[in-house]
Structures are given as structure tokens and as C-alpha cells.
Amino acid sequence: MSESSHTVTVRAVALAEVTTFGAVMTAIADAGGQVGAITVIDTTSSTVTRDITIHTADPASFETVRMALEAAGASIEATDDPAFVAHEGGAIGMRNRVPVRSRDDLSMAYTPGVARVCMAIHDDFDQAWQFTIKANSVLVTSDGSAVAGLGDLGAEASLPACEAKCFLLRDRAGIDAFPLPVDRERDPAKIAEVILLCSSVFAGIHLTDIDPGRLVAVKAALEERLDVPVFADEHEGVACVAVAALQNAATVAGVSLAAARVALVGTGPARDATARLLAAAGADDIASAAAPGQTTAVDFTGAIPGVAIVATGGVVTTVSANLAYPGIWRGTLDCRARTINDAMLLAAAQAIAEGADAPTPDDLVPSVLDDDLAARVSAAVRNAAEVTGAARVTAAV
């Protein structure tokens, strides 16, 4: 079967007979589908109602599976795309940290107590790190010009993708991230200006799903004027995980990274950042080549004899930036770093590489679902920030 990228859950009613259930499962497989979860919803003396999650290559393939199901004797009552279920109402939400159980609680969290905190920050803005959400907050932003490998969908359509990054930051690293795409603007300087005007509450800016042609300019303009880190997951994030994978690939191939010949194929800032980090990690023989017509979703392929990887900004099943940025941001925020420098990225790459137990050509890096990954990366990043002077604080906050 071709790679599955379309998932639908169907509610199917069929006769309560083992042979019928077997025929339904066989029909799905024969039509090119792959069965995921199966949940029994209801049973009667004659029928069984089940929710069946089916993976297919695309929507057209699912229609083939649907017809096969009906031919096998199943009645389809409803279909649901789990992706839409997961995003219904948004993938993230706000919540209060301080409970309000009495008038006194309200007067401290709200007015008049809040006025004293406002005045303290007016007198000394550094107190915002302690008495507001700033210290644990990241702005996730896009202009919608390169959304999830689908191209220029616009800022509003990029909101679910930005929410997904916020979701991962909260789930993996306990970070309060907020999605704020920039609409109706394509000039990098103006995009940067809009982000700058919204930046005061955040301890970092996370750029995502921005066309590579303007990403570097937006990032540079922000870094020039902000004293908080600016990070691009499809730039430094991809590079960081690629270096981790290539370090382990060298081990699998039985050579040192310094002795390996590495080929980077593709275009854009991810390839450039990877070449820079690889050189800093000790790789001496790096060749680069453009790949005409290559989509921006696949930034490059790095090759060591016998081992090849593909690295992207957000695909879960590849060497992906999502392995890096939750831990990188956690470590960065914990020391209130002013920037995310190459030493911090290399420390993250090393932590990711070390997190892969007994790497093989098929498993060069740990899973994004590794519960210890973000903590390992965070500790390494914070230590590198302190050593290089990027940290504002060097003790536990």
C-alpha cells in the first residue's frame, strides 16, 4: 500500500456475525485501506455498530474503501476526520493560574490589587519576568506563505498550524505559546514590524511556515531590534535535528563525522543552517547542491555512505524540527536567554543524538513522544546558554 496520509473514522453497522466482520476487514485491506482503531459503539441481537479508523493514501482512495465496505454488507452511518475532531474549537486554550474562591482572591487577582503590580512594572520592567506570563510565553507566528508544505494559504489558514506548534510546546515542555499570524503583508520589514509591536509580553518569537525567500530577512530584522530570542523551526530546528541524525548516521556507518562525506541537497535556510552547524560539529567534507523543483517541505537530504536522511520542518515520521524546539525553548526560557546561538543548537543536537538508544539506519533519532527528550535538550541548551553568556540568569528561577 502507498503511504497513508488521509485518515477517516467511519461508523459502520454490520450483521453481528464473525464472517461479516471478517469480510469488512478484508474489504478495507483489498481496497487499499489500513485499519487503525476499532471501537464497538452498540450491539443488538442482529447488528454491531463500530467506529473504524481507516488510513488511505488520499480522499479518492477512501471513496474506494467506502464502496468496498458497503459491498461487504456494512452500512455507513457517519464519517469523521480525526484531524478535524482534534482541532474542533482550537487545539489550545487559555486557563487561569490563580483560583478565585472569595472576594479577597478576586481583589488580589483583579482590581484593586493588580494596580500595585502594574505600578511595580512601570517602575522596573524587569519585574514583568516574575509577575506576568512573560517568562514562560512564546509567540508563534507565520505569514501563511508556506503552510505545512502546502504553499501560500494565507495567514488565517496558517492559524491551525500555529496552534499545533503551541500545542506541542505546552504538551512537551509546559510552555505557554500563543498563535498570532500576520495577515495581508508580504514585505519582510513590515512583517517584522508587526511582530515587533506585539512582542513585549513574550520571552521569545517562534517563526514558522514562512516562505524561505523572506524567512531570513524577517528573522534578521527581528533579531536586530529585540532582546529576546527569535527562532525558526524550519531553519535552525531542522538543522539541529539533522546534525543529531547525521552524528548517529556516522556512528552507524562506522566513521567519525569529521571523516564522513556529507551531501546536502536542496535549497533554502535549512540547508544553509545545517551546513553551518555541521561544520561547527566537526564535519570537514560537506558538499551542497541545489535541487530544482524540490518542495520547501523537504529542505534537504543529508547522506553518509550507507545512510540517508530526509529532514523537514514538521512531519512527524521523519527527522523533524519538532524533536528540537520544545526542549530548546524550555532551556532558553529557564535561563531567560537573549538569543539562541549555535552553541545552544549544537548542545541540543548532541542531547537529541544521545537520546537515540542503539541507533540504526531506520532509527537515528528518538521519538518526539519520548517523555524525557525535552528535559534532556532543555538542560543541555540552558548549560550552553550560561557558558556562552546568552543567559540572563544562571540559577534556578
Side-chain angles (χ1 to χ4, degrees):
M1 181 181 129
S2 60
E3 183 180 354
S4 300
S5 60
H6 183 70
T7 301
V8 175
T9 298
V10 301
R11 179 155 293 182
V13 182
L15 293 176
E17 298 175 0
V18 174
T19 54
T20 301
F21 178 68
V24 167
M25 295 296 102
T26 299
I28 294 172
D30 289 348
Q34 190 174 64
V35 176
I38 302 174
T39 304
V40 175
I41 301 301
D42 187 35
T43 61
T44 69
S45 59
S46 58
T47 63
V48 178
T49 302
R50 299 179 178 89
D51 280 351
I52 306 172
T53 299
I54 302 171
H55 308 286
T56 62
D58 48 49
S61 299
F62 171 72
E63 288 306 314
T64 301
V65 172
R66 179 207 286 270
M67 289 187 289
L69 278 171
E70 292 174 343
S75 172
I76 308 301
E77 288 192 341
T79 61
D80 231 341
D81 185 333
F84 284 89
V85 174
H87 284 268
E88 186 171 359
I92 60 173
M94 303 284 287
R95 75 250 179 255
N96 291 344
R97 186 185 62 80
V98 179
V100 177
R101 300 188 182 93
S102 68
R103 277 189 164 282
D104 286 344
D105 290 342
L106 184 61
S107 66
M108 291 300 101
Y110 190 50
T111 187
V114 70
R116 299 201 294 276
V117 182
C118 292
M119 186 54 67
I121 293 172
H122 169 73
D123 294 336
D124 177 13
F125 182 69
D126 278 352
Q127 294 200 51
W129 290 96
Q130 182 175 355
F131 297 112
T132 74
I133 65 172
K134 181 180 178 74
N136 196 48
S137 294
V138 170
L139 172 64
V140 177
T141 186
S142 170
D143 65 352
S145 58
V147 180
L150 300 173
D152 190 344
L153 304 185
E156 291 180 345
S158 77
L159 182 56
C162 290
E163 284 189 7
K165 305 294 173 73
C166 295
F167 169 85
L168 195 65
L169 286 168
R170 161 51 60 180
D171 183 74
R172 297 287 92 187
I175 293 168
D176 293 322
F178 190 83
L180 191 65
V182 177
D183 198 7
R184 300 172 186 163
E185 193 53 74
R186 286 294 184 265
D187 183 332
K190 292 181 179 178
I191 293 171
E193 184 67 24
V194 172
I195 296 170
L196 183 72
L197 292 173
C198 301
S199 65
S200 64
V201 70
F202 299 102
I205 308 297
H206 185 114
L207 304 177
T208 189
D209 293 341
I210 298 175
D211 182 85
R214 65 177 67 98
L215 171 62
V216 174
V218 171
K219 186 172 183 292
L222 288 170
E223 288 177 328
E224 183 179 349
R225 299 175 64 184
L226 288 175
D227 66 347
V228 296
V230 182
F231 179 86
D233 55 20
E234 291 139 344
H235 181 191
E236 299 118 319
V238 168
C240 180
V241 183
V243 169
L246 286 167
Q247 286 176 332
N248 284 343
T251 300
V252 169
V255 297
S256 69
L257 190 58
R261 177 169 176 76
V262 181
L264 301 180
V265 182
T267 59
R271 186 195 64 181
D272 298 340
T274 302
R276 189 182 76 244
L277 286 183
L278 277 172
D284 295 323
D285 190 353
I286 304 172
S288 295
Q294 186 175 1
T295 66
T296 57
V298 179
D299 293 298
F300 66 87
T301 301
I304 287 175
V307 182
I309 69 166
V310 174
T312 75
V315 182
V316 174
T317 55
T318 62
V319 176
S320 169
N322 59 32
L323 292 171
Y325 63 77
I328 289 174
W329 273 122
R330 182 70 275 158
T332 298
L333 297 182
D334 285 348
C335 66
R336 300 179 186 171
R338 295 177 176 85
T339 187
I340 297 174
N341 58 38
D342 281 359
M344 296 161 70
L345 294 175
L346 284 174
Q350 186 63 37
I352 293 168
E354 291 173 354
D357 296 328
T360 68
D362 294 324
D363 291 294
L364 293 172
V365 290
S367 166
V368 69
L369 299 178
D370 180 342
D371 289 334
D372 296 325
L373 177 62
R376 287 194 304 267
V377 172
S378 169
V381 167
R382 176 168 184 168
N383 181 67
E386 293 176 358
V387 168
T388 58
R392 285 185 174 88
V393 295
T394 57
V397 179

Short mmCIF file of all heavy atoms in Angstrom, two decimals, residues 246 255-264 274-275 278-288 302-305:
data_model
loop_
_atom_site.label_atom_id
_atom_site.label_comp_id
_atom_site.label_asym_id
_atom_site.label_seq_id
_atom_site.Cartn_x
_atom_site.Cartn_y
_atom_site.Cartn_z
N LEU A 246 22.73 13.00 11.70
CA LEU A 246 23.95 12.72 10.96
C LEU A 246 25.08 12.26 11.89
O LEU A 246 25.93 11.45 11.50
CB LEU A 246 24.38 13.96 10.17
CG LEU A 246 23.51 14.23 8.93
CD1 LEU A 246 23.77 15.62 8.39
CD2 LEU A 246 23.77 13.19 7.86
N VAL A 255 32.08 5.50 10.90
CA VAL A 255 33.07 6.55 10.67
C VAL A 255 32.81 7.70 11.62
O VAL A 255 31.73 7.82 12.20
CB VAL A 255 33.01 7.08 9.21
CG1 VAL A 255 33.34 5.98 8.23
CG2 VAL A 255 31.64 7.68 8.91
N SER A 256 33.78 8.55 11.79
CA SER A 256 33.56 9.76 12.58
C SER A 256 32.92 10.81 11.68
O SER A 256 33.06 10.76 10.44
CB SER A 256 34.89 10.30 13.12
OG SER A 256 35.70 10.78 12.06
N LEU A 257 32.24 11.77 12.28
CA LEU A 257 31.61 12.83 11.49
C LEU A 257 32.69 13.62 10.74
O LEU A 257 32.48 14.04 9.60
CB LEU A 257 30.80 13.75 12.40
CG LEU A 257 29.90 14.77 11.70
CD1 LEU A 257 28.89 14.08 10.79
CD2 LEU A 257 29.16 15.61 12.73
N ALA A 258 33.85 13.78 11.37
CA ALA A 258 34.93 14.53 10.72
C ALA A 258 35.45 13.81 9.48
O ALA A 258 35.91 14.45 8.53
CB ALA A 258 36.07 14.75 11.71
N ALA A 259 35.36 12.48 9.47
CA ALA A 259 35.87 11.70 8.34
C ALA A 259 34.81 11.42 7.30
O ALA A 259 35.13 10.88 6.23
CB ALA A 259 36.46 10.39 8.85
N ALA A 260 33.56 11.76 7.58
CA ALA A 260 32.46 11.42 6.67
C ALA A 260 32.32 12.45 5.57
O ALA A 260 32.64 13.63 5.75
CB ALA A 260 31.16 11.32 7.44
N ARG A 261 31.84 12.01 4.42
CA ARG A 261 31.46 12.94 3.36
C ARG A 261 29.96 13.13 3.44
O ARG A 261 29.19 12.18 3.36
CB ARG A 261 31.85 12.39 1.98
CG ARG A 261 31.42 13.30 0.83
CD ARG A 261 32.02 12.88 -0.50
NE ARG A 261 31.53 13.69 -1.59
CZ ARG A 261 31.93 14.94 -1.85
NH1 ARG A 261 32.83 15.50 -1.08
NH2 ARG A 261 31.43 15.61 -2.88
N VAL A 262 29.54 14.38 3.61
CA VAL A 262 28.13 14.70 3.79
C VAL A 262 27.63 15.49 2.60
O VAL A 262 28.24 16.50 2.22
CB VAL A 262 27.91 15.51 5.09
CG1 VAL A 262 26.43 15.81 5.27
CG2 VAL A 262 28.46 14.77 6.29
N ALA A 263 26.54 15.06 2.00
CA ALA A 263 25.93 15.78 0.88
C ALA A 263 24.62 16.39 1.34
O ALA A 263 23.75 15.69 1.85
CB ALA A 263 25.69 14.83 -0.29
N LEU A 264 24.50 17.69 1.15
CA LEU A 264 23.25 18.39 1.46
C LEU A 264 22.60 18.79 0.15
O LEU A 264 23.18 19.56 -0.63
CB LEU A 264 23.51 19.64 2.31
CG LEU A 264 24.21 19.42 3.65
CD1 LEU A 264 24.40 20.75 4.37
CD2 LEU A 264 23.41 18.45 4.50
N THR A 274 22.14 23.99 8.36
CA THR A 274 22.68 22.66 8.60
C THR A 274 24.16 22.61 8.25
O THR A 274 24.98 22.04 8.99
CB THR A 274 21.92 21.61 7.77
OG1 THR A 274 20.54 21.67 8.13
CG2 THR A 274 22.44 20.22 8.05
N ALA A 275 24.52 23.20 7.13
CA ALA A 275 25.94 23.24 6.75
C ALA A 275 26.75 23.96 7.81
O ALA A 275 27.86 23.52 8.18
CB ALA A 275 26.09 23.92 5.39
N LEU A 278 26.91 21.71 10.98
CA LEU A 278 27.75 20.54 10.73
C LEU A 278 29.23 20.90 10.79
O LEU A 278 30.05 20.17 11.36
CB LEU A 278 27.43 19.93 9.37
CG LEU A 278 26.23 18.98 9.31
CD1 LEU A 278 25.92 18.62 7.86
CD2 LEU A 278 26.49 17.72 10.12
N ALA A 279 29.56 22.04 10.21
CA ALA A 279 30.95 22.49 10.26
C ALA A 279 31.38 22.75 11.70
O ALA A 279 32.48 22.36 12.12
CB ALA A 279 31.13 23.75 9.41
N ALA A 280 30.49 23.35 12.48
CA ALA A 280 30.80 23.60 13.89
C ALA A 280 30.91 22.31 14.68
O ALA A 280 31.64 22.24 15.68
CB ALA A 280 29.73 24.50 14.50
N ALA A 281 30.19 21.27 14.23
CA ALA A 281 30.23 19.97 14.92
C ALA A 281 31.43 19.13 14.52
O ALA A 281 31.63 18.05 15.06
CB ALA A 281 28.95 19.19 14.62
N GLY A 282 32.20 19.61 13.53
CA GLY A 282 33.42 18.91 13.16
C GLY A 282 33.42 18.26 11.81
O GLY A 282 34.41 17.61 11.43
N ALA A 283 32.34 18.40 11.04
CA ALA A 283 32.32 17.82 9.69
C ALA A 283 33.19 18.66 8.77
O ALA A 283 33.04 19.87 8.68
CB ALA A 283 30.89 17.77 9.17
N ASP A 284 34.14 18.00 8.08
CA ASP A 284 35.09 18.73 7.24
C ASP A 284 34.75 18.65 5.75
O ASP A 284 35.19 19.49 4.97
CB ASP A 284 36.51 18.16 7.45
CG ASP A 284 37.01 18.41 8.85
OD1 ASP A 284 36.72 19.49 9.40
OD2 ASP A 284 37.70 17.52 9.41
N ASP A 285 34.01 17.63 5.35
CA ASP A 285 33.76 17.39 3.93
C ASP A 285 32.26 17.51 3.67
O ASP A 285 31.50 16.55 3.78
CB ASP A 285 34.27 15.99 3.55
CG ASP A 285 34.27 15.78 2.04
OD1 ASP A 285 33.75 16.65 1.32
OD2 ASP A 285 34.77 14.74 1.60
N ILE A 286 31.81 18.72 3.37
CA ILE A 286 30.38 18.98 3.16
C ILE A 286 30.18 19.48 1.74
O ILE A 286 30.76 20.50 1.34
CB ILE A 286 29.85 20.04 4.16
CG1 ILE A 286 30.12 19.60 5.60
CG2 ILE A 286 28.35 20.27 3.94
CD1 ILE A 286 29.78 20.68 6.63
N ALA A 287 29.37 18.79 0.98
CA ALA A 287 29.05 19.20 -0.38
C ALA A 287 27.59 19.61 -0.43
O ALA A 287 26.73 18.98 0.20
CB ALA A 287 29.31 18.07 -1.35
N SER A 288 27.29 20.68 -1.16
CA SER A 288 25.92 21.16 -1.28
C SER A 288 25.53 21.22 -2.74
O SER A 288 26.35 21.53 -3.61
CB SER A 288 25.76 22.53 -0.64
OG SER A 288 25.96 22.48 0.75
N GLY A 302 20.55 14.66 3.73
CA GLY A 302 21.95 14.54 4.13
C GLY A 302 22.36 13.09 3.97
O GLY A 302 21.65 12.20 4.41
N ALA A 303 23.51 12.82 3.34
CA ALA A 303 23.90 11.44 3.06
C ALA A 303 25.30 11.13 3.57
O ALA A 303 26.22 11.90 3.38
CB ALA A 303 23.84 11.19 1.56
N ILE A 304 25.43 10.00 4.23
CA ILE A 304 26.71 9.39 4.59
C ILE A 304 26.66 8.01 3.95
O ILE A 304 25.58 7.41 3.90
CB ILE A 304 26.85 9.29 6.13
CG1 ILE A 304 27.11 10.67 6.71
CG2 ILE A 304 27.95 8.34 6.53
CD1 ILE A 304 27.16 10.71 8.19
N PRO A 305 27.78 7.49 3.43
CA PRO A 305 27.72 6.18 2.74
C PRO A 305 26.93 5.14 3.51
O PRO A 305 27.23 4.84 4.66
CB PRO A 305 29.20 5.81 2.62
CG PRO A 305 29.90 7.13 2.53
CD PRO A 305 29.12 8.05 3.44
#
